[in-house]
Amino acid sequence: TIRMEPCVPEGWSGFTIRFRGRGANYEINVTKSKAGREVQTGKNDGAKGEALAIQIAHDHEPHKVEVRL
């Protein structure tokens, strides 16, 4: 499990992290709204849900996580 508490610096609109874990590729996109401190929405592989605790898959597939602050 990966646990995140994303923080986007002032002046940034967001950031992307790409990594490989246990054979699966992950792309994590964090974007910031005007208020932008707490998580507003989260999607894991397109499904709404928990984006701050990501279960690492062992499936050798690409995964996309989206977090909006």
Side-chain angles (χ1 to χ4, degrees):
T1 302
I2 297 173
R3 299 197 189 281
M4 300 187 334
E5 287 188 39
C7 180
V8 179
E10 193 69 35
W12 288 24
S13 61
F15 60 88
T16 299
I17 299 170
R18 291 180 184 91
F19 76 96
R20 184 179 177 115
R22 297 191 177 168
N25 293 310
Y26 287 83
E27 180 177 301
I28 302 170
N29 294 304
V30 178
T31 57
K32 181 170 75 169
S33 65
K34 290 180 183 177
R37 283 254 187 248
E38 295 183 20
V39 173
Q40 302 297 316
T41 60
K43 290 184 180 180
N44 194 340
D45 288 332
K48 285 187 178 180
E50 183 61 58
L52 298 181
I54 304 164
Q55 295 296 320
I56 301 297
H58 301 265
D59 59 6
H60 301 280
E61 296 290 330
H63 297 277
K64 186 168 185 176
V65 177
E66 297 176 44
V67 179
R68 182 161 176 83
L69 304 178

